[in-house]
Amino acid sequence: MTWRDSATKLKMAKKQLMVPATWGIRSSFHSLIALLVAFLVIASIYVTQNSGVLIEDATKSKSSDDLSSRCNLFSGKWVFDNKSYPLYKEKACTFMSDQLACEKFGRKDLNYQNWRWQPHRCDLPRFNATVLLERLRNKRLMFVGDSLNRGQWVSMVCLVDSVIPTGLQSMHQYRNGSLHIFKAIEYNATIEFYWSPLLVESNSDDPVNHRVDDRTVRVQGIEKHARHWTDADILVFNSYLWWRRSQMTVLWGSFESPDGVYRKVEMPRVYEMALKTWSDWLEVHINRTKTQMFFVSLSPTHQKYTAMQF
């Protein structure tokens, strides 16, 4: 299946999801979704590199291919585990962001940290930071998107930080804070985050000053962002929450040019055009024999109580 086909299926799925209904969603659900995405990325790294075995039956030996075909990581349930979880302590993470430091700013209920994803037909191996870093040796793991993926990136950094000796890790920012790179020096491995909430160019691309009343999207402009993703070995994209408007302004031309053409377009159509630009770029520039890719669309917002429309 090509990435163009994937974009088309995403569009069809999105239309099917847009059925009026509302739910009150707590921030703990947002945390669970974040954990699930992280687990699936980690599990994929383990499975595809034929290590960190997923166990269906401890009494039977399964080949890696047979195991991968039988274990559906997306089919499972959340189980409460207060013995082996949480995998890291917020206060112990050197790189924890204040935006995500719930305990630091007074949250008393920390039970959300003890929920673990359990697939129905197999067991995920317990997370091992050293094993993951070995899998990432000489590689780039990059999260691209909005604050959901920024939270994923911070969590991943915190997961591995505890096993890296002081002085053997570094953190740098580039492009005015759009690109953050954590490096495990001994492994020559990087875990990166790139701020691009709409994937294509927009007037919300500034990592700090991005709250604007009239959101404008340059649907055919992606190279300015995408050139930073080209050589990544694992790419995790997310984009949807920032599209939740009935209409958006589309720009044909460049933000720097006075001759650009602006037009109001219905949101689903703009989202479709942006995903096509994104998927077309992936088709041409990404080596799929080297790079693993994930895409996250709809997710809960950050507020404690919120109504989400599907």
Side-chain angles (χ1 to χ4, degrees):
M1 180 184 294
T2 67
W3 281 94
R4 187 176 291 105
D5 293 334
S6 299
T8 302
K9 291 200 171 189
L10 282 168
K11 177 189 71 173
M12 296 173 62
K14 197 59 60 185
K15 288 181 179 179
Q16 293 172 354
L17 286 170
M18 294 181 69
V19 178
T22 57
W23 288 266
I25 299 178
R26 296 177 180 269
S27 60
S28 57
F29 183 45
H30 179 272
S31 302
L32 294 179
I33 293 294
L35 286 171
L36 176 57
V37 175
F39 291 158
L40 294 176
V41 172
I42 293 168
S44 177
I45 296 171
Y46 275 58
V47 172
T48 56
Q49 302 213 18
N50 298 324
S51 187
V53 178
L54 300 175
I55 303 170
E56 276 191 311
D57 185 342
T59 64
K60 296 181 180 179
S61 174
K62 300 284 185 179
S63 71
S64 177
D65 291 341
D66 184 46
L67 191 57
S68 298
S69 65
R70 290 174 177 270
C71 182
N72 181 358
L73 299 178
F74 296 90
S75 177
K77 62 182 179 179
W78 291 102
V79 296
F80 190 77
D81 180 353
N82 60 0
K83 294 182 179 179
S84 57
Y85 278 63
L87 294 173
Y88 67 87
K89 296 290 186 180
E90 175 189 301
K91 293 179 179 179
C93 180
T94 309
F95 303 102
M96 174 57 66
S97 166
D98 279 354
Q99 292 179 313
L100 304 170
C102 299
E103 185 177 4
K104 177 179 177 179
F105 291 98
R107 178 166 181 170
K108 303 300 183 183
D109 173 20
L110 301 178
N111 286 338
Y112 71 92
Q113 298 177 349
N114 298 112
W115 289 95
R116 173 173 58 81
W117 181 251
Q118 175 63 57
H120 287 311
R121 300 186 62 184
C122 56
D123 291 329
L124 290 173
R126 190 176 191 280
F127 177 76
N128 184 314
T130 303
V131 171
L132 178 65
L133 284 169
E134 193 60 53
R135 302 291 182 277
L136 293 177
R137 184 179 291 276
N138 300 318
K139 294 182 179 178
R140 296 174 64 200
L141 164 59
M142 174 173 269
F143 296 88
V144 179
D146 57 29
S147 53
L148 174 70
N149 258 5
R150 184 169 58 203
Q152 294 291 315
W153 168 73
V154 170
S155 292
M156 188 68 77
V157 168
C158 289
L159 282 167
V160 302
D161 179 49
S162 62
V163 301
I164 301 176
T166 303
L168 291 181
Q169 71 273 82
S170 65
M171 179 74 78
H172 297 286
Q173 296 184 28
Y174 302 93
R175 296 198 73 248
N176 297 320
S178 291
L179 176 61
H180 297 254
I181 300 179
F182 171 86
K183 184 171 185 178
I185 297 171
E186 181 182 356
Y187 297 89
N188 190 34
T190 62
I191 302 174
E192 309 175 30
F193 170 70
Y194 186 87
W195 172 264
S196 181
L198 301 165
L199 299 181
V200 294
E201 290 182 43
S202 74
N203 61 347
S204 296
D205 286 343
D206 189 289
V208 178
N209 301 312
H210 44 243
R211 298 291 179 181
V212 293
D213 293 330
D214 185 10
R215 193 157 291 157
T216 302
V217 182
R218 184 173 173 242
V219 290
Q220 294 178 319
I222 196 170
E223 185 59 36
K224 185 177 79 173
H225 299 321
R227 60 191 177 91
H228 298 284
W229 319 332
T230 306
D231 296 324
D233 297 277
I234 303 167
L235 280 166
V236 185
F237 296 96
N238 91 286
S239 189
Y240 185 78
L241 285 176
W242 284 67
W243 295 93
R244 292 177 57 209
R245 299 191 173 191
S246 59
Q247 288 187 328
M248 301 182 78
T249 300
V250 174
L251 166 63
W252 280 269
S254 70
F255 284 102
E256 294 77 19
S257 172
D259 301 323
V261 177
Y262 294 82
R263 191 175 73 185
K264 288 286 187 181
V265 180
E266 296 294 316
M267 184 281 284
R269 175 57 181 152
V270 187
Y271 190 44
E272 176 189 0
M273 289 189 290
L275 285 181
K276 184 178 187 304
T277 297
W278 168 75
S279 62
D280 285 348
W281 185 90
L282 292 175
E283 284 277 7
V284 173
H285 294 91
I286 295 297
N287 179 355
R288 284 179 287 174
T289 63
K290 170 195 174 187
T291 303
Q292 290 180 268
M293 288 176 284
F294 301 84
F295 180 76
V296 183
S297 58
L298 186 62
S299 62
T301 56
H302 298 289
Q303 289 77 14
K304 184 174 182 180
Y305 296 102
T306 184
M308 294 186 65
Q309 189 170 35
F310 290 81

